[in-house]
Amino acid sequence: MKKALLAVLLAAWAAPALAQEKTIELKISHWVPASHPLQKALEDWGASVEKASGGSIKSRVFPAQQLGKAFDHYDMARDGIADLTYVNPGYQPGRFPIIGAGELPFLMSDAKGGSMGLDAWYRKYAEKEMKDVKFCLAFIHSPSSFHSRTKKIVVPDDIKGMKIRPADATIANFVTQLGGTNVQSSAPEVRDIIERGVADAVTFPWGSLVLFGIDKVTKFQMDAPLYVTTFVLVLNKDKYSEMSDRQKKAIDDNCNTEAAGRVGEPWGKFEDAGIDKVKAEAGQDVYPLTAEQTALWKKAAEPLVKTWADGVRKTGVDPDAALSELKASLAKYNALTP
């Protein structure tokens, strides 16, 4: 009888708490097409949160810059224009210097492991660098390289005099260092600027090269794991603060390193599959680098570490320690380039 009475009292106590839990509607925004694997990854993320919240957190994904431009997605989450947004930190050079370590060439070898290694490492720095929002998770795409309309890019000297759309701030520095000119644009605008001759080449992952139609305006495709781009999902703080404890836990349980791997893995497979698609196209010159050519690129990229370190030092973070920590985290998840 005592146990039965206790159960009734607990149920009576819990009922008002659940009744007060209001339904939350999350607007999830990204800037790639709905046909991109990120769309399903974000839909799956929302479904997982909905299940964990007992159905009290619903979500809708807005693709293709419907709610705002690609460059604005961090501020969109900060200002509540969207609730959860997909951000390329490298689209705003100098604003997020610490996470820029993930953009350093020849560092990461795998999308899933790289996403988990980056996420696990960046969590201690996100509070400092992205304090306007609630950090959810970080991830990457598969390693990729240069794709050119005008000429074959084989050694660093080939960049001199070229107009290149860089994937992020670090690659932009690299292009400048090598005597090229940067042409800034978001991913959805790349085909147009190459087709019009505004840019000669781009750094872009393989599957997305096909998805955005950039393979139709480029001919010379370097097959080398030169770089990756870092991305984050961030949440509006006010939206998170209005949630119940159970709802916050549902978010937190889907904003972790394991979830980063779940987002990074399918995208990585999609990008990797793009190489064979481009090779099968008539007129494409898809070429690997020799060991000697790779060594030249690695040597040319060395100054980028110092540039990154100088920017990080201004934040009060020790860049040597931070980079060592990142490499250790990538090694733990089998994603550190040898």
Side-chain angles (χ1 to χ4, degrees), residues 18-263:
L18 290 174
Q20 291 169 14
E21 187 177 64
K22 63 181 180 179
T23 299
I24 300 286
E25 300 281 350
L26 287 183
K27 291 183 292 184
I28 301 176
S29 180
H30 68 83
W31 33 268
V32 293
S35 53
H36 192 284
L38 184 67
Q39 173 77 16
K40 186 176 186 305
L42 292 176
E43 289 172 352
D44 290 347
W45 184 90
S48 181
V49 168
E50 182 172 352
K51 182 178 179 181
S53 69
S56 66
I57 299 179
K58 311 289 187 183
S59 63
R60 180 181 172 190
V61 180
F62 294 84
Q65 304 186 101
Q66 290 180 21
L67 299 184
K69 293 292 186 182
F71 293 104
D72 297 331
H73 269 58
Y74 179 87
D75 293 332
M76 286 163 56
R78 180 195 65 191
D79 300 338
I81 295 169
D83 301 312
L84 183 86
T85 65
Y86 161 62
V87 179
N88 177 346
Y91 273 176
Q92 296 180 302
R95 189 174 184 183
F96 307 107
I98 301 172
I99 198 172
E103 301 168 356
L104 293 171
F106 301 105
L107 185 62
M108 300 191 205
S109 61
D110 172 74
K112 180 182 179 181
S115 294
M116 297 178 77
L118 176 72
D119 179 89
W121 165 78
Y122 188 58
R123 291 193 166 270
K124 70 180 278 188
Y125 299 111
E127 279 287 320
K128 179 184 187 70
E129 189 158 79
M130 298 187 179
K131 58 181 179 295
D132 307 304
V133 294
K134 175 176 171 56
F135 173 76
C136 178
L137 55 84
F139 59 103
I140 64 164
H141 61 54
S142 290
S144 192
S145 195
F146 288 100
H147 308 278
S148 172
R149 175 181 63 89
T150 56
K151 71 176 185 180
K152 197 169 182 176
I153 300 171
V154 179
V155 295
D157 284 346
D158 292 332
I159 298 295
K160 190 172 184 179
M162 293 188 73
K163 298 173 292 184
I164 295 178
R165 183 271 183 184
D168 51 50
T170 301
I171 296 298
N173 287 338
F174 201 21
V175 168
T176 301
Q177 174 192 310
L178 296 176
T181 300
N182 288 293
V183 179
Q184 295 296 334
S185 84
S186 65
E189 300 164 332
V190 169
R191 175 175 176 165
D192 179 60
I193 65 170
I194 292 180
E195 196 165 26
R196 291 190 291 114
V198 176
D200 302 315
V202 63
T203 51
F204 222 72
W206 289 94
S208 293
L209 194 80
V210 177
L211 179 64
F212 286 91
I214 301 165
D215 58 322
K216 300 296 187 289
V217 295
T218 54
K219 177 183 177 181
F220 305 100
Q221 325 287 358
M222 182 195 288
D223 184 5
L226 176 67
Y227 80 100
V228 303
T229 299
T230 63
F231 303 101
V232 295
L233 298 181
V234 295
L235 187 72
N236 175 263
K237 280 189 168 182
D238 291 339
K239 180 66 72 170
Y240 181 76
S241 66
E242 73 183 49
M243 295 179 183
S244 68
D245 289 344
R246 182 174 74 147
Q247 289 172 328
K248 287 178 179 177
K249 186 176 188 304
I251 294 290
D252 294 344
D253 288 348
N254 286 277
C255 287
N256 53 32
T257 298
E258 182 184 355
R262 291 199 302 269
V263 173

